[in-house]
Amino acid sequence: MAGLAAAFGSGAMTNSIAEIEHTEVILATGTNTTENHPIVGMMVKRAVRQNGAKLIVIDPREIDLVKYADIWLRQRHGTDVAVLNGLMNVIITEKLFAKEYVDARTEGFEAMRKVLEQYTPEYVEKISGVPAEDLKKAARLYAGANKAAILYAMGITQHISGTDNVKSCANLAMLCGNLGIEGGGVNPLRGQNNVQGACDMGALPNVFPAYQAVTNDELRQKFEKAWDAKLDGKVGLTIMEIMEGALSKKIRALYVMGENPMLSDPDLSHVEHALKNLDILVVQDIFLNETAQYADVVLPSACFAEKDGTFTNTERRVQRIRKAINAPGYAKADWEIIAALSDRMGYPMEYKNAEAIMDEIRTVTPSYGGITYERIEKDGLQWPCPTPDHQGTRFLHKDRFTRGLGLFHAIDYIPPDEMPDKDFPMVLSTGRVLYHYHTGTMTRLSAGSTERYPESLVEINPADAARMKIKDGQMVKVATRRGAVKVKALISERPYEGAVFMNFHFHEVPVNQLTNPALDPIGKIPEYKVCAARVEAA
Amino acid sequence: MENKITVTIDGREAEALPGQTILDVAKAQGIFIPTLCYLDCTTKVGACRVCCVEVEGARSLVASCCMPINPGMIIKTDTKKVRNAQRMIVELLWASGDHNCLTCEKNGACELQNLVYWLEIEKPRFRIDSPGYETETNNSMISRDLNKCILCGRCVRACNEIQVNEVLDFMERGSRAKVGPAFDADYINSQCYFCGECVEACPVGAITFKQARFKGRPWDLKKVKTTCTYCGVGCQIDLNIHDGKIIKVTGNRDSREPNNGSLCVKGRFGLDFVSNPDRLKTPLIRKKKGGELEEATWDEAIAFIAKKFKDIKAKHGSDALAGLASARCTNEENYLFQKFMRAVIGTNNVDHCARL
């Protein structure tokens, strides 16, 4: 998100999901959207099959979307910046870029152009393995469209160069004038129901709700007044830094609401030590998950079907959730628990219901200023929606970027933190599969998902399997510098020769004991998509 | 505005746009024309002919779902000729399969059953021959009983044109014609993604939600509209509730965006966790490190935490505490959580797993 915020002034998905179906060219990179956001995948497929849209897929894996693609650029893992720079090199060399748009609406073009000079298709082919001719074709296709949408997800962000990757996507879109128009945009697809909302609401160490910086005195004073409390003006710790802090006893208490870091964080043994080192760990969840096993207090919470509230989807649409059934036993909605704890600590939080909290949110969150339960009773509203008569915003940056001019970033390719070598000759990449979700807490309890995808699998290219004498369904050992797991092999053309793919849904195969915790220096996102691994028959 | 066309439908003049069908015009005028094979947002195939109407000057009855209007067209939707044709069609469909409403999950929500009633058909005119297919029950999500299939093709279009999963199609011909995945495979042995679009598209009891079988009649179910809890698309779903339990999940089609009623396998079939017996039901406290988690009251648990948090804050400062909010919880809860950490604890050490 930091990447988009730097380029445009706002980190959110620029356009709307429905626009995907009616655009001319879709460039999907680092998003296996038919499995991770199947309804977005559906829109992409409909655009291609029914509306004549052209699809460019940039992905090391032969994901389902490749079947629908006009051009598939299969880059080596972690070489995204090189490929995106290569596309822009061609577009500039062949004078296909939107010069008027670049002149009028952006800054930083010259500096970027200089860096792009060396990224000729031939040079990019050497780095990424993408044939120079394919790169040129893709560049011409993207640049030739009146409107083209870029879709991306964790395949772009979960790298040490994640922020660079995002900025490169932003560069490409601005270069071709694809921002501030219907059907265009740079569209990060959020993988979790309310990750957008959690960010909007200030569940981040550096900002209050609506991305208002905690370091800004004026903004902080506004919140001090609204909340009637003295507030700290220095940026807090990120999730990784909190774990580090727990190890060094800098952090002594951790309150976890609805998260399972014991399965989702990189380098799990590290997290385990951190959690054990705390004076108190409070876990509030619907299940006794892996993290809760280390808790001193466990608080039972209601799930989404048992409470009222709102989620904000990937396209900034604030939508209602509604209580349909009662929570089991003594479980309570998370907001009720927080309020009870706050009361006990001497800061009364008296809210009649979830709507009363939204009424307060509206007063301190400018982009949510016009959002009321009454207005979103039938259809959600897309922020920014600053006033009660505002109709919401379908796409951002029309006529003007949030930050004024769009900012190009000159970005050089850097290789992944850990490359294959003699001891660990293969590339391991991780992600989700259609039938499961995140740490599997929910989907693994579903009869259907379990039936369709009962156990963890490692996808191995047939050539590698033949060389290593591994058969389909055989148990193999996948090892990296950090650990090893045993897992069943799925022989598949999806990964290229020399690469394997694993999911992180199964606690019996804790793939995050293998992944590389190296972080993107700005986004603080771990490099889940590339590390060096060794595979052998178990 | 584009040039409007004037037509006459059931004696009244109606304005409509070129390209609209007779069915579109009738709907806009509040005139009911029955349909079976018609499925919104997909190709109009005119396969079942139950939507037939009389058009002055036409050689025969026309299928209103796919007949575009012409200027001056005179349309009649409820003549004897139309009703007789509709009755014949429905009676033939009825006779083509094993439409036994007593045991059918679709009883009360079946479009064929509704048409038999609407057309006031007393009893079947033709001998009923069940095709004798085996019911497909070898997966836990979707049941198929092709004996009830009327070959309207809605599932085929839902699969190919709405979800673009390209799994279902027609196969065989004539009386042996049927729908299904390639090579006549069962769903579980095919490429099927179990989005369930075909189930919602089916007008009869041929494709049904298996887990909802015998769990509640259509008229028992209360639909509660909400937002799916899985990915970031935020699909609008209807939880179908009976007896305090979620019986099934259907797409909400009142909201066009973001999903216009379509869902994926997780939102559709992934809510078993809600009623799982392992759900946490009471607070638990581990009174001393290394001990067991023991059941506690809310009052004990909250008091325990408040004391610990206060002690740590007093001894080590606010920044010795940290909180992880959640991309799974609501806006209201995330707001309150960060407010709690910032205003009550006094630290900005609050984050969530957006990065993972």
Side-chain angles (χ1 to χ4, degrees):
Chain A
M1 294 312 113
L4 287 192
F8 309 145
S10 164
M13 176 163 166
T14 61
N15 289 55
S16 296
I17 293 170
E19 293 170 34
I20 296 168
E21 204 177 335
H22 302 287
T23 191
E24 291 177 20
V25 169
I26 299 163
L27 189 158
T29 178
T31 176
N32 180 13
T33 187
T34 57
E35 297 198 61
N36 287 307
H37 333 87
I39 294 302
V40 172
M42 177 184 90
M43 300 282 180
V44 174
K45 294 189 287 184
R46 284 214 295 249
V48 171
R49 286 284 197 263
Q50 286 155 29
N51 300 330
K54 302 289 181 195
L55 173 64
I56 303 166
V57 172
I58 309 179
D59 204 298
R61 260 174 103 211
E62 190 173 356
I63 54 174
D64 282 350
L65 270 189
V66 169
K67 195 169 86 178
Y68 300 82
D70 295 89
I71 300 175
W72 173 33
L73 306 182
R74 185 178 218 176
Q75 84 280 34
R76 289 189 195 107
H77 288 86
T79 61
D80 307 78
V81 165
V83 174
L84 293 163
N85 277 354
L87 290 171
M88 289 187 276
N89 175 293
V90 175
I91 289 167
I92 291 173
T93 309
E94 301 191 2
K95 298 198 169 50
L96 302 173
F97 65 103
K99 188 165 184 317
E100 275 175 33
Y101 183 94
V102 169
D103 289 345
R105 304 237 2 223
T106 68
E107 57 187 326
F109 175 72
E110 271 310 310
M112 178 186 74
R113 197 182 55 78
K114 280 203 190 79
V115 168
L116 291 178
E117 270 169 12
Q118 68 163 314
Y119 290 88
T120 61
E122 294 70 26
Y123 178 66
V124 171
E125 180 170 347
K126 270 191 215 126
I127 298 172
S128 69
V130 170
E133 281 310 308
D134 288 356
L135 192 81
K136 286 183 200 165
K137 273 188 218 156
R140 289 168 196 148
L141 185 57
Y142 179 80
N146 292 311
K147 49 183 181 178
I150 296 178
L151 312 180
Y152 74 83
M154 292 299 190
I156 280 292
T157 55
Q158 287 179 342
H159 291 281
I160 55 160
S161 59
T163 304
D164 285 352
N165 291 348
V166 172
K167 285 176 179 168
S168 300
C169 290
N171 285 345
L172 176 61
M174 282 193 290
L175 186 64
C176 296
N178 274 322
L179 283 156
I181 59 167
E182 188 160 355
V186 182
N187 301 295
L189 303 173
R190 305 296 210 139
Q192 301 197 67
N193 58 328
N194 199 33
V195 72
Q196 183 66 53
C199 293
D200 296 346
M201 291 301 110
L204 293 167
N206 57 339
V207 290
F208 294 117
Y211 309 96
Q212 301 174 82
V214 297
T215 50
N216 181 313
D217 293 341
E218 201 178 314
L219 292 172
R220 198 173 59 253
Q221 279 157 17
K222 185 178 91 174
F223 279 93
E224 286 184 336
K225 199 161 157 235
W227 292 346
D228 191 21
K230 183 94 190 75
L231 300 175
D232 188 25
K234 68 175 182 308
V235 171
L237 303 179
T238 64
I239 186 165
M240 307 297 164
E241 289 162 349
I242 289 168
M243 295 301 166
E244 289 293 334
L247 284 175
S248 65
K249 278 279 178 193
K250 196 174 140 196
I251 296 292
R252 289 171 178 268
L254 180 60
Y255 179 13
V256 180
M257 170 176 81
E259 296 256 299
N260 191 6
M262 208 29 233
L263 209 52
S264 58
D265 279 34
D267 206 349
L268 291 180
S269 54
H270 185 79
V271 175
E272 187 183 344
H273 288 303
L275 297 179
K276 281 184 176 164
N277 211 27
L278 290 162
D279 291 355
I280 179 170
L281 171 63
V282 179
V283 172
Q284 182 171 313
D285 209 293
I286 61 172
F287 287 109
L288 196 70
N289 64 25
E290 287 75 7
T291 306
Q293 323 262 355
Y294 299 91
D296 299 286
V297 185
V298 176
L299 303 173
S301 56
C303 81
F304 86 110
E306 298 151 356
K307 63 189 179 188
D308 290 313
T310 57
F311 291 157
T312 303
N313 81 349
T314 189
E315 55 175 356
R316 300 169 274 105
R317 190 184 300 275
V318 184
Q319 306 186 111
R320 278 296 312 276
I321 65 163
R322 292 179 180 84
K323 180 174 170 151
I325 54 174
N326 290 323
Y330 299 104
K332 289 183 183 185
D334 290 290
W335 68 265
E336 293 176 289
I337 305 172
I338 302 163
L341 181 57
S342 187
D343 288 349
R344 187 65 66 108
M345 291 195 60
Y347 184 97
M349 286 187 176
E350 286 153 358
Y351 300 99
K352 199 167 71 219
N353 48 32
E355 185 175 6
I357 304 173
M358 181 54 85
D359 290 340
E360 178 177 319
I361 291 172
R362 197 164 58 242
T363 61
V364 292
T365 313
S367 51
Y368 282 61
I371 293 173
T372 64
Y373 275 25
E374 196 186 342
R375 289 190 73 196
I376 60 171
E377 175 60 26
K378 182 174 174 294
D379 290 308
L381 279 165
Q382 287 173 284
W383 67 256
C385 178
T387 56
D389 55 354
H390 193 283
Q391 289 309 301
T393 308
R394 289 192 66 78
F395 59 90
L396 304 175
H397 315 304
K398 186 171 185 287
D399 303 325
R400 182 184 179 278
F401 284 95
T402 308
R403 71 178 288 278
L405 294 175
L407 178 61
F408 283 111
H409 289 87
I411 290 166
D412 257 316
Y413 162 72
I414 52 163
D417 180 67
E418 191 178 79
M419 295 290 267
D421 56 23
K422 199 159 86 338
D423 296 332
F424 297 94
M426 302 189 75
V427 176
L428 166 67
S429 182
T430 68
R432 291 190 193 159
V433 301
L434 173 66
Y435 295 97
H436 290 285
Y437 179 80
H438 224 60
T439 59
T441 321
M442 303 191 305
T443 48
R444 291 199 61 198
L445 299 174
S446 285
S449 287
T450 303
E451 179 175 83
R452 215 57 181 136
Y453 205 103
E455 57 188 330
S456 200
L457 298 169
V458 54
E459 293 178 8
I460 303 176
N461 184 279
D464 290 323
R467 184 169 42 78
M468 296 184 283
K469 301 198 169 46
I470 292 168
K471 289 194 195 64
D472 196 53
Q474 181 183 338
M475 291 303 285
V476 298
K477 189 174 113 180
V478 181
T480 68
R481 286 195 173 79
R482 289 152 295 278
V485 298
K486 282 185 185 170
V487 59
K488 199 180 260 189
L490 172 71
I491 313 292
S492 162
E493 298 276 1
R494 298 182 108 199
Y496 57 73
E497 193 177 343
V500 292
F501 174 85
M502 293 177 74
N503 69 72
F504 60 103
H505 307 301
F506 294 81
H507 62 82
E508 313 88 300
V509 183
V511 71
N512 286 340
Q513 287 182 1
L514 308 186
T515 46
N516 187 354
L519 297 182
D520 171 60
I522 299 158
K524 306 281 166 74
I525 300 177
E527 188 154 64
Y528 282 153
K529 297 302 181 197
V530 199
C531 72
R534 185 176 62 232
V535 180
E536 56 204 36
Chain B
M1 204 56 200
E2 292 157 85
N3 293 339
K4 288 210 168 170
I5 295 177
T6 306
V7 297
T8 306
I9 182 161
D10 289 349
R12 53 177 121 142
E13 287 205 343
E15 281 200 326
L17 295 171
Q20 284 195 293
T21 62
I22 295 174
L23 182 64
D24 293 333
V25 177
K27 272 188 186 163
Q29 294 294 317
I31 296 168
F32 175 70
I33 298 178
T35 58
L36 279 174
C37 72
Y38 175 84
L39 182 64
D40 202 18
C41 302
T42 64
T43 310
K44 299 165 178 86
V45 291
C48 73
R49 319 305 283 185
V50 83
C51 69
C52 63
V53 294
E54 263 191 86
V55 172
E56 218 171 88
R59 278 178 303 146
S60 60
L61 296 177
V62 302
S64 63
C65 72
C66 50
M67 174 62 87
I69 48 165
N70 286 317
M73 210 178 219
I74 298 170
I75 304 149
K76 288 179 185 144
T77 72
D78 71 345
T79 65
K80 197 164 179 223
K81 193 176 169 189
V82 168
R83 291 289 177 260
N84 280 342
Q86 287 169 333
R87 275 193 199 99
M88 175 62 83
I89 292 162
V90 168
E91 285 175 79
L92 285 170
L93 287 174
W94 187 0
S96 72
D98 176 25
H99 297 288
N100 185 347
C101 305
L102 284 177
T103 64
C104 184
E105 198 58 39
K106 211 57 185 276
N107 182 20
C110 172
E111 295 179 31
L112 184 67
Q113 188 189 49
N114 286 346
L115 274 185
V116 169
Y117 195 86
W118 186 76
L119 290 165
E120 301 177 10
I121 301 170
E122 287 284 354
K123 55 184 176 185
R125 194 183 333 177
F126 307 109
R127 197 181 54 153
I128 293 175
D129 259 340
S130 176
Y133 295 118
E134 290 229 358
T135 313
E136 182 180 318
T137 56
N138 56 358
N139 75 75
S140 65
M141 294 172 270
I142 298 175
S143 294
R144 284 204 307 158
D145 180 0
L146 292 184
N147 300 305
K148 292 183 166 59
C149 175
I150 56 169
L151 293 170
C152 65
R154 272 160 59 163
C155 57
V156 174
R157 275 171 285 140
C159 187
N160 291 282
E161 297 182 25
I162 294 178
Q163 287 274 349
V164 205
N165 282 337
E166 302 176 342
V167 172
L168 294 181
D169 208 341
F170 288 99
M171 70 189 93
E172 306 277 10
R173 322 179 64 158
S175 64
R176 292 167 62 200
K178 60 174 178 171
V179 291
F183 311 112
D184 202 11
D186 290 341
Y187 275 19
I188 195 74
N189 296 314
S190 76
Q191 286 295 309
C192 176
Y193 300 95
F194 289 91
C195 66
E197 194 83 35
C198 57
V199 185
E200 288 212 40
C202 184
V204 294
I207 316 179
T208 51
F209 293 114
K210 188 169 174 204
Q211 284 145 332
R213 181 80 170 133
F214 301 129
K215 294 287 179 355
R217 298 291 212 171
W219 54 84
D220 292 328
L221 301 180
K222 186 180 88 177
K223 286 187 177 186
V224 179
K225 181 182 175 183
T226 192
T227 303
C228 179
T229 187
Y230 280 103
C231 80
V233 173
C235 290
Q236 296 301 288
I237 61 176
D238 283 331
L239 300 177
N240 290 240
I241 308 295
H242 180 47
D243 231 359
K245 289 196 185 69
I246 301 171
I247 303 304
K248 64 180 175 185
V249 178
T250 47
N252 183 289
R253 283 166 210 272
D254 299 336
S255 295
R256 304 294 285 188
E257 293 184 62
N259 57 311
N260 198 19
S262 292
L263 299 179
C264 81
V265 61
K266 289 187 282 280
R268 175 90 66 192
F269 298 111
L271 298 190
D272 296 3
F273 75 89
V274 173
S275 58
N276 188 281
D278 291 341
R279 281 284 301 276
L280 286 167
K281 295 178 194 74
T282 175
L284 305 169
I285 300 181
R286 199 188 309 272
K287 294 213 169 95
K288 56 175 190 287
K289 286 277 175 192
E292 292 294 307
L293 282 168
E294 292 166 39
E295 290 194 1
T297 64
W298 274 110
D299 201 52
E300 287 164 349
I302 296 289
F304 185 92
I305 300 166
K307 183 174 183 309
K308 278 273 193 180
F309 280 7
K310 273 187 188 163
D311 289 350
I312 291 171
K313 186 176 164 180
K315 213 162 143 196
H316 303 283
S318 297
D319 286 337
L321 294 97
L324 296 179
S326 177
R328 319 284 306 125
C329 294
T330 64
N331 287 324
E332 290 76 1
E333 289 157 350
N334 277 288
Y335 172 81
L336 225 52
F337 189 91
Q338 60 89 35
K339 181 178 175 182
F340 173 77
M341 292 308 296
R342 292 188 158 118
V344 185
I345 302 289
T347 179
N348 285 314
N349 291 340
V350 54
D351 199 5
H352 69 286
C353 72
R355 301 170 174 88
L356 309 176

Short mmCIF file of all heavy atoms in Angstrom, two decimals, chain A residues 215-232:
data_model
loop_
_atom_site.label_atom_id
_atom_site.label_comp_id
_atom_site.label_asym_id
_atom_site.label_seq_id
_atom_site.Cartn_x
_atom_site.Cartn_y
_atom_site.Cartn_z
N THR A 215 2.03 11.17 13.83
CA THR A 215 3.12 12.12 14.08
C THR A 215 2.71 13.57 13.82
O THR A 215 3.42 14.49 14.17
CB THR A 215 4.33 11.79 13.17
OG1 THR A 215 3.85 11.64 11.83
CG2 THR A 215 5.00 10.50 13.59
N ASN A 216 1.58 13.75 13.16
CA ASN A 216 1.10 15.10 12.85
C ASN A 216 0.41 15.70 14.08
O ASN A 216 -0.62 15.21 14.54
CB ASN A 216 0.14 15.01 11.66
CG ASN A 216 -0.38 16.36 11.23
OD1 ASN A 216 -0.81 17.17 12.05
ND2 ASN A 216 -0.34 16.60 9.94
N ASP A 217 1.00 16.79 14.61
CA ASP A 217 0.50 17.36 15.87
C ASP A 217 -0.96 17.78 15.78
O ASP A 217 -1.75 17.54 16.69
CB ASP A 217 1.36 18.56 16.27
CG ASP A 217 2.78 18.14 16.64
OD1 ASP A 217 2.96 16.93 16.93
OD2 ASP A 217 3.69 18.98 16.61
N GLU A 218 -1.27 18.42 14.66
CA GLU A 218 -2.63 18.94 14.51
C GLU A 218 -3.65 17.80 14.50
O GLU A 218 -4.68 17.86 15.18
CB GLU A 218 -2.69 19.70 13.19
CG GLU A 218 -3.82 20.70 13.09
CD GLU A 218 -3.76 21.42 11.75
OE1 GLU A 218 -2.64 21.86 11.34
OE2 GLU A 218 -4.79 21.50 11.09
N LEU A 219 -3.34 16.76 13.75
CA LEU A 219 -4.26 15.61 13.65
C LEU A 219 -4.37 14.91 15.01
O LEU A 219 -5.44 14.51 15.43
CB LEU A 219 -3.78 14.63 12.58
CG LEU A 219 -3.86 15.15 11.14
CD1 LEU A 219 -3.17 14.18 10.18
CD2 LEU A 219 -5.30 15.36 10.72
N ARG A 220 -3.22 14.78 15.65
CA ARG A 220 -3.23 14.10 16.94
C ARG A 220 -4.07 14.86 17.96
O ARG A 220 -4.83 14.27 18.73
CB ARG A 220 -1.80 13.90 17.45
CG ARG A 220 -1.71 12.82 18.54
CD ARG A 220 -0.29 12.51 18.89
NE ARG A 220 0.44 13.66 19.38
CZ ARG A 220 1.37 14.31 18.70
NH1 ARG A 220 1.73 13.89 17.51
NH2 ARG A 220 1.97 15.37 19.21
N GLN A 221 -3.95 16.18 17.90
CA GLN A 221 -4.75 16.99 18.82
C GLN A 221 -6.25 16.82 18.56
O GLN A 221 -7.05 16.79 19.48
CB GLN A 221 -4.35 18.46 18.71
CG GLN A 221 -3.10 18.77 19.52
CD GLN A 221 -2.36 20.01 19.02
OE1 GLN A 221 -2.92 20.82 18.29
NE2 GLN A 221 -1.10 20.13 19.41
N LYS A 222 -6.57 16.66 17.27
CA LYS A 222 -7.97 16.42 16.91
C LYS A 222 -8.48 15.15 17.59
O LYS A 222 -9.57 15.13 18.18
CB LYS A 222 -8.09 16.30 15.38
CG LYS A 222 -9.51 16.16 14.89
CD LYS A 222 -9.58 16.08 13.37
CE LYS A 222 -9.51 14.64 12.89
NZ LYS A 222 -9.72 14.51 11.43
N PHE A 223 -7.66 14.10 17.53
CA PHE A 223 -8.07 12.84 18.15
C PHE A 223 -8.04 12.91 19.67
O PHE A 223 -8.88 12.31 20.34
CB PHE A 223 -7.21 11.68 17.63
CG PHE A 223 -7.65 11.17 16.29
CD1 PHE A 223 -7.11 11.66 15.12
CD2 PHE A 223 -8.68 10.23 16.20
CE1 PHE A 223 -7.55 11.22 13.88
CE2 PHE A 223 -9.13 9.78 14.98
CZ PHE A 223 -8.56 10.28 13.81
N GLU A 224 -7.08 13.66 20.20
CA GLU A 224 -7.04 13.81 21.67
C GLU A 224 -8.33 14.44 22.16
O GLU A 224 -8.88 14.05 23.19
CB GLU A 224 -5.82 14.66 22.07
CG GLU A 224 -4.52 13.87 21.94
CD GLU A 224 -3.29 14.65 22.42
OE1 GLU A 224 -3.34 15.89 22.42
OE2 GLU A 224 -2.30 13.98 22.77
N LYS A 225 -8.82 15.40 21.38
CA LYS A 225 -10.05 16.09 21.76
C LYS A 225 -11.25 15.13 21.61
O LYS A 225 -12.08 15.00 22.50
CB LYS A 225 -10.23 17.31 20.85
CG LYS A 225 -11.19 18.31 21.41
CD LYS A 225 -11.00 19.69 20.75
CE LYS A 225 -12.30 20.47 20.89
NZ LYS A 225 -12.81 20.94 19.61
N ALA A 226 -11.27 14.43 20.45
CA ALA A 226 -12.40 13.54 20.19
C ALA A 226 -12.46 12.41 21.21
O ALA A 226 -13.54 11.97 21.61
CB ALA A 226 -12.29 12.97 18.78
N TRP A 227 -11.31 11.92 21.61
CA TRP A 227 -11.27 10.75 22.49
C TRP A 227 -11.05 11.12 23.95
O TRP A 227 -11.04 10.25 24.82
CB TRP A 227 -10.17 9.78 22.03
CG TRP A 227 -10.43 9.13 20.72
CD1 TRP A 227 -11.62 9.09 20.04
CD2 TRP A 227 -9.48 8.43 19.91
NE1 TRP A 227 -11.47 8.40 18.87
CE2 TRP A 227 -10.16 7.97 18.75
CE3 TRP A 227 -8.13 8.13 20.04
CZ2 TRP A 227 -9.55 7.24 17.74
CZ3 TRP A 227 -7.50 7.40 19.04
CH2 TRP A 227 -8.21 6.96 17.90
N ASP A 228 -10.79 12.39 24.19
CA ASP A 228 -10.55 12.87 25.54
C ASP A 228 -9.44 12.05 26.22
O ASP A 228 -9.62 11.47 27.29
CB ASP A 228 -11.86 12.79 26.36
CG ASP A 228 -11.71 13.53 27.69
OD1 ASP A 228 -10.81 14.39 27.79
OD2 ASP A 228 -12.47 13.21 28.62
N ALA A 229 -8.30 12.00 25.55
CA ALA A 229 -7.17 11.22 26.09
C ALA A 229 -5.87 11.80 25.54
O ALA A 229 -5.86 12.40 24.47
CB ALA A 229 -7.30 9.76 25.69
N LYS A 230 -4.81 11.60 26.28
CA LYS A 230 -3.48 12.02 25.80
C LYS A 230 -2.96 10.94 24.86
O LYS A 230 -2.99 9.76 25.19
CB LYS A 230 -2.56 12.18 27.02
CG LYS A 230 -1.17 12.67 26.71
CD LYS A 230 -1.07 14.20 26.84
CE LYS A 230 0.26 14.72 26.28
NZ LYS A 230 0.33 14.73 24.81
N LEU A 231 -2.51 11.34 23.68
CA LEU A 231 -2.08 10.34 22.71
C LEU A 231 -0.60 10.48 22.39
O LEU A 231 -0.05 11.58 22.42
CB LEU A 231 -2.90 10.47 21.42
CG LEU A 231 -4.41 10.28 21.58
CD1 LEU A 231 -5.12 10.56 20.25
CD2 LEU A 231 -4.74 8.88 22.06
N ASP A 232 0.00 9.35 22.07
CA ASP A 232 1.44 9.31 21.80
C ASP A 232 1.70 9.70 20.34
O ASP A 232 0.97 9.30 19.44
CB ASP A 232 1.95 7.88 22.07
CG ASP A 232 3.46 7.81 21.99
OD1 ASP A 232 4.11 8.85 22.20
OD2 ASP A 232 3.98 6.71 21.70
#
